């Protein structure tokens, strides 16, 4: 049999993905049913299968529920707001009234390309209760000083504000592309029929953008569920665990305490949540089309 | 009238978007303690490079900068070769199981990378790759997004070009190297920026695989520095500038390709 050249092209990438992605995924699944810990790292014979124990322990653990609730809080608030901000920015930048679009687009996009760790550090100082930029800005509208990162009530909103600022430019670009694909005639026809701005927005813009919006919702959700660097840098999960996220909890259990079995179970819960979220979005999209 | 309101709104929100960067830059040129004042300064009262000097002399940030540059470049180059070959194969060849494999790869994109981290860590430990550049390179050799991006682009290259090259006696590898790669250059540049920036900005994985501080990439070094310097905004801002500036410049130079990449990635399903 002759060796086919196509395998020469496929082999490197597929082997790499298989060995360093698929095998780890399967291994993680297996490890999540064991008591793999720091002793087992030294000697692989020192772990045993414990069935669903890790999952039972997980669902019994207050801290896990706290991390889960915090992450959902973050995703549910941050997601829709940042998508709405992205859409608003896209619509303004798509307006025929505006010139110098390129410059504004560039400015709004700037936070997207920056390093998350670095901007988290910058924002940590911006949130400083005494000298921070934010409290200074708010003092002009008469708002009293807020202890953004020190108050369990404000800590998560602080992370939400940062992540909206950091991310809205990305979805804005996708929305601009989506808006440009809507035929101009639709708006002209609506204008002739006497539709006002709001009607044009709800009856033309939103329905025409639906596929784009679904795509954006999925990628935004997947990204937001993986919240990690912001709390790691700004609050270490505190105060009172108010910003502990699932991935931060997984990191602490797995790589600080080396409870690898338990930590893998956390990772799989994250996976199931993301999978369910994606499937729901896709199902909603299918139903809308049908 | 409406136009001016719109511009006012754009300029104000533009300023709000940039304000953190302006403050960062300004604080990085201040002496110790000069950024911890009320009201915050958008311009240094006394201009100094002292924070940058401290970072490069006493804290040896150049080492981390070199790590970041080398690691990001290595991952970019290698993954570009792997992804473009596979993307080409998926776009222009017929082989058994092609659709199944491709669908499997695409659906694997919903699996968060955190799932793989523990076993991958153990694997790399066995290989002796922890605390080496290999620890970042190995999981970044190839990725589905890259293969997908290349495939979409190469599919649009006419088959006739490939056929006529074949008639002229070109081998498959020559076709890849002399026809596909040059024609797909725009998408290769796009993918290169994505990979470079992604690797540069990555935090969780390098945090896990490096515990020797001489191996730290800039984000990890910065996070570590933050632990000891919570009260030194001036120094931390200089560190942030060093971390952010290279990717920002790269983006400014190649923004056309970057923006195009986002749009290409968004038309998949």
């Amino acid at each position: 049999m002759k060796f086919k050249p196509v395998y020469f092209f496929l082999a490197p990438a597929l082997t790499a993905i298989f060995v360093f992605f698929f095998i780890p995924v399967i291994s993680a699944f297996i490890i999540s049913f064991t008591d793999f810990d720091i002793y087992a790292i030294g000697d692989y014979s020192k772990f045993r299968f414990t069935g669903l124990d890790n999952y039972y322990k997980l669902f019994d653990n207050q801290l896990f529920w706290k991390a889960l609730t915090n992450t959902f809080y973050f995703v549910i608030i941050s997601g829709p707001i940042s998508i709405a901000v992205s859409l608003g920015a896209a619509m303004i930048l798509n307006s025929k009234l505006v010139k110098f679009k390129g410059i504004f687009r560039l400015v709004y996009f700037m936070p997207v390309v920056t390093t998350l760790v670095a901007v988290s550090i910058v924002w940590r100082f911006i949130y400083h209760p005494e000298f921070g930029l934010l409290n200074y800005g708010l003092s002009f509208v008469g708002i009293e000083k807020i202890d953004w990162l020190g108050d369990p009530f404000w800590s998560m909103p602080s992370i939400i504000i940062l992540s909206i600022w950091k991310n809205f430019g990305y979805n804005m670009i996708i929305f601009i592309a989506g808006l440009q694909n809507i035929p101009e005639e639709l708006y002209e026809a609506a204008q002739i029929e006497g539709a006002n701005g709001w009607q044009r927005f709800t009856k033309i813009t939103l329905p025409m953008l639906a596929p784009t919006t679904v795509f954006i919702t999925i990628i935004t959700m997947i990204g937001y569920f993986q919240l990690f660097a912001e709390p790691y840098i700004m609050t270490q999960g505190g105060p009172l665990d108010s910003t502990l996220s699932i991935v931060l909890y997984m990191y602490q259990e797995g790589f600080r305490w080396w409870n690898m079995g338990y930590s893998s179970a956390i990772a799989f819960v994250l996976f199931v949540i993301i999978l369910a979220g994606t499937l729901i979005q896709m199902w909603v999209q299918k139903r809308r089309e049908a | 009238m409406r136009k001016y309101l719109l511009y006012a709104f754009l300029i104000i929100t533009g300023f709000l978007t940039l304000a953190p960067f302006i403050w960062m830059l300004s604080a990085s040129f201040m002496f110790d303690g000069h950024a911890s004042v009320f009201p915050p300064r958008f311009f240094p009262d006394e201009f100094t490079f002292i924070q940058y000097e401290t970072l490069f002399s006493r804290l040896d940030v150049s080492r981390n900068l070199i790590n970041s540059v080398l690691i990001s470049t290595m991952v970019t180059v290698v993954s570009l070769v792997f992804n473009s070959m596979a993307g080409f194969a998926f776009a222009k060849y017929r082989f058994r199981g092609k659709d199944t494999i491709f669908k499997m790869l695409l659906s694997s994109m919903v699996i968060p990378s955190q799932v793989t981290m523990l076993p991958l860590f153990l694997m790399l430990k066995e290989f002796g790759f922890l605390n080496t550049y290999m620890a970042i390179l190995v999981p970044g050799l190839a990725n589905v997004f890259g293969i997908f991006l290349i495939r979409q682009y190469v599919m649009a290259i006419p088959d006739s070009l490939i056929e006529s090259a074949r008639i002229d006696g070109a081998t498959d590898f020559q076709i890849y190297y002399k026809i596909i790669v040059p024609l797909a250059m725009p998408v290769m540049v796009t993918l290169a920026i994505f990979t470079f920036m992604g690797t540069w900005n990555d935090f969780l994985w390098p945090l896990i695989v490096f515990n020797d501080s001489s191996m730290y990439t800039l984000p990890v070094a910065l996070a570590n520095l933050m632990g000891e310097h919570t009260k030194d905004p001036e120094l931390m801002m200089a560190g942030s500038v060093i971390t952010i500036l290279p990717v920002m410049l790269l983006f400014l130079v190649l923004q056309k390709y970057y923006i195009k990449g986002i749009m290409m990635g968004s038309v998949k399903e």
Side-chain angles (χ1 to χ4, degrees):
Chain A
M1 203 178 98
K2 215 178 118 234
F3 179 77
K4 283 200 193 138
V6 60
Y7 295 123
F8 166 82
F9 292 120
L10 283 172
L14 291 191
T15 314
I17 292 173
F18 182 75
V19 177
F20 302 118
F21 189 79
F22 283 102
I23 290 185
V25 170
I26 296 161
S27 316
F29 190 62
I30 298 169
I31 292 176
S32 78
F33 297 105
T34 70
D35 62 356
F36 205 103
D37 59 11
I38 188 147
Y39 302 107
I41 295 177
D43 176 358
Y44 284 156
S45 65
K46 287 210 175 106
F47 75 90
R48 49 200 179 90
F49 282 89
T50 52
L52 288 168
D53 268 14
N54 286 326
Y55 293 91
Y56 288 138
K57 260 201 296 192
L58 205 55
F59 292 117
D60 259 351
N61 190 324
Q62 287 280 311
L63 209 53
F64 168 72
W65 286 108
K66 185 82 188 151
L68 204 63
T69 332
N70 289 340
T71 309
F72 269 95
Y73 173 22
F74 173 74
V75 174
I76 288 171
I77 303 294
S78 220
I81 296 182
S82 77
I83 292 172
V85 172
S86 303
L87 179 59
M91 287 182 56
I92 292 177
L93 287 187
N94 202 42
S95 149
K96 270 185 261 118
L97 292 173
V98 175
K99 276 179 201 144
F100 314 111
K101 287 181 176 124
I103 293 172
F104 288 114
R105 198 177 64 178
L106 189 66
V107 166
Y108 294 151
F109 195 75
M110 224 63 240
V112 173
V113 295
T114 56
T115 313
L116 185 53
V117 168
V119 296
S120 298
I121 289 174
V122 174
W123 277 78
R124 193 171 149 163
F125 290 108
I126 287 175
Y127 283 132
H128 193 286
E130 287 297 317
F131 312 121
L133 213 50
L134 187 59
N135 275 351
Y136 173 63
L138 291 178
S139 69
F140 288 107
V141 280
I143 294 174
E144 291 283 307
K145 280 180 178 157
I146 295 171
D147 186 7
W148 290 98
L149 300 172
D151 182 336
F153 178 80
W154 289 110
S155 51
M156 192 53 99
S158 307
I159 289 179
I160 291 173
I161 294 170
L162 160 61
S163 73
I164 293 170
W165 171 83
K166 172 86 170 72
N167 296 316
F168 82 94
Y170 191 90
N171 291 335
M172 176 189 80
I173 297 291
I174 303 177
F175 270 132
I176 290 177
L179 286 170
Q180 283 167 352
N181 284 336
I182 302 177
E184 195 54 38
E185 299 86 66
L186 284 180
Y187 290 108
E188 284 160 12
Q191 196 119 35
I192 294 165
E193 310 256 320
N196 62 32
W198 178 249
Q199 284 167 329
R200 287 196 301 260
F201 175 69
T202 53
K203 297 271 152 58
I204 300 174
T205 311
L206 280 185
M208 293 296 287
L209 278 181
T212 313
T213 314
V214 169
F215 172 77
I216 283 178
T217 311
I218 292 176
I219 56 163
T220 305
M221 180 202 70
I222 293 180
Y224 278 6
F225 267 117
Q226 302 179 22
L227 175 70
F228 173 75
E230 300 93 321
Y232 182 94
I233 298 287
M234 298 206 298
T235 58
Q236 293 85 46
L240 301 173
D241 300 317
S242 58
T243 54
L244 182 74
S245 68
I246 298 182
V247 177
L248 185 55
Y249 184 49
M250 185 209 87
Y251 169 79
Q252 288 173 348
E253 285 294 335
F255 294 100
R256 193 165 292 164
W257 314 120
W258 303 106
N259 295 323
M260 301 193 119
Y262 187 68
S263 177
S264 293
I266 303 174
F268 264 93
V269 172
L270 174 70
F271 170 41
V272 168
I273 291 170
I274 289 179
L275 183 66
T278 309
L279 291 176
I280 291 171
Q281 286 295 324
M282 285 163 78
W283 178 75
V284 168
Q285 168 70 354
K286 271 228 176 79
R287 266 185 57 126
R288 193 180 285 133
E289 277 167 7
Chain B
M1 183 59 202
R2 231 183 110 197
K3 201 166 120 184
Y4 292 109
L5 272 174
L6 220 50
Y7 275 118
F9 180 76
L10 282 172
I11 289 167
I12 291 169
T13 47
F15 174 74
L16 290 178
T17 311
L18 291 184
F21 295 128
I22 300 170
W23 183 79
M24 167 186 79
L25 206 58
S26 142
S28 80
F29 292 117
M30 290 182 196
F31 285 101
D32 284 353
H34 288 216
S36 296
V37 289
F38 191 87
R41 298 187 170 121
F42 274 112
F43 215 76
D45 48 340
E46 289 172 85
F47 190 91
T48 174
F49 279 113
I50 189 116
Q51 308 300 345
Y52 292 92
E53 279 165 28
T54 311
L55 282 173
F56 280 103
S57 60
R58 193 163 63 76
L59 298 166
D60 202 18
V61 164
S62 47
R63 174 78 217 187
N64 309 116
L65 184 63
I66 293 168
N67 287 341
S68 276
V69 171
L70 289 181
I71 289 175
S72 306
T73 311
M74 264 168 40
V75 172
T76 305
V77 171
V78 177
S79 72
L80 211 52
V81 174
F82 280 26
N83 288 334
S84 64
M85 291 200 315
F88 169 46
F90 277 113
K92 291 295 180 197
Y93 284 90
R94 270 190 284 177
F95 53 92
R96 256 216 343 238
K98 176 173 155 178
D99 290 343
T100 321
I101 297 174
F102 195 68
K103 269 193 196 127
M104 242 175 77
L105 288 177
L106 277 190
S107 21
S108 78
M109 286 174 84
V110 295
I111 305 178
S113 64
Q114 289 86 352
V115 171
T116 66
M117 285 178 179
L118 285 159
L120 208 49
F121 174 84
L122 296 173
M123 208 189 244
L124 295 175
K125 187 172 167 294
E126 287 300 300
F127 296 162
F129 284 171
L130 295 182
N131 282 313
T132 71
Y133 289 171
M134 291 301 280
I136 311 284
L137 180 63
V138 159
L141 288 172
N143 63 76
V144 178
F145 176 73
I147 296 174
F148 174 80
L149 212 61
I150 302 273
R151 171 187 172 263
Q152 293 303 91
Y153 197 90
V154 172
M155 280 199 329
I157 295 174
D159 286 337
S160 55
L161 280 176
I162 297 172
E163 290 312 319
S164 57
R166 203 167 297 232
I167 291 164
D168 291 340
T171 64
D172 289 80
F173 187 72
Q174 283 170 333
I175 291 171
Y176 162 73
Y177 186 69
K178 295 219 168 104
I179 297 177
I180 302 297
V181 171
L183 285 176
M185 209 30 100
V187 75
M188 304 267 278
V189 175
T190 299
L191 186 56
I193 314 168
F194 269 90
T195 315
F196 190 91
M197 288 191 180
T199 316
W200 183 281
N201 292 337
D202 196 16
F203 176 54
L204 180 51
W205 186 242
L207 179 71
I208 289 170
V209 293
F210 296 146
N211 53 42
D212 173 356
S213 63
S214 71
M215 292 305 298
Y216 285 173
T217 55
L218 279 171
V220 181
L222 210 55
N224 198 46
L225 205 60
M226 187 70 194
E228 301 147 33
H229 294 274
T230 32
K231 297 223 153 44
D232 303 325
E234 303 82 8
L235 181 77
M236 292 314 300
M237 288 310 102
S240 302
V241 171
I242 294 169
T243 309
I244 289 176
L245 207 59
V247 274
M248 222 181 220
L249 291 177
L250 187 73
F251 167 71
L252 287 176
V253 175
L254 296 169
Q255 50 163 313
K256 195 179 79 187
Y257 294 97
Y258 191 97
I259 302 281
K260 218 174 254 165
I262 299 178
M263 293 181 185
M264 276 181 72
S266 69
V267 290
K268 66 163 135 234
E269 265 90 18

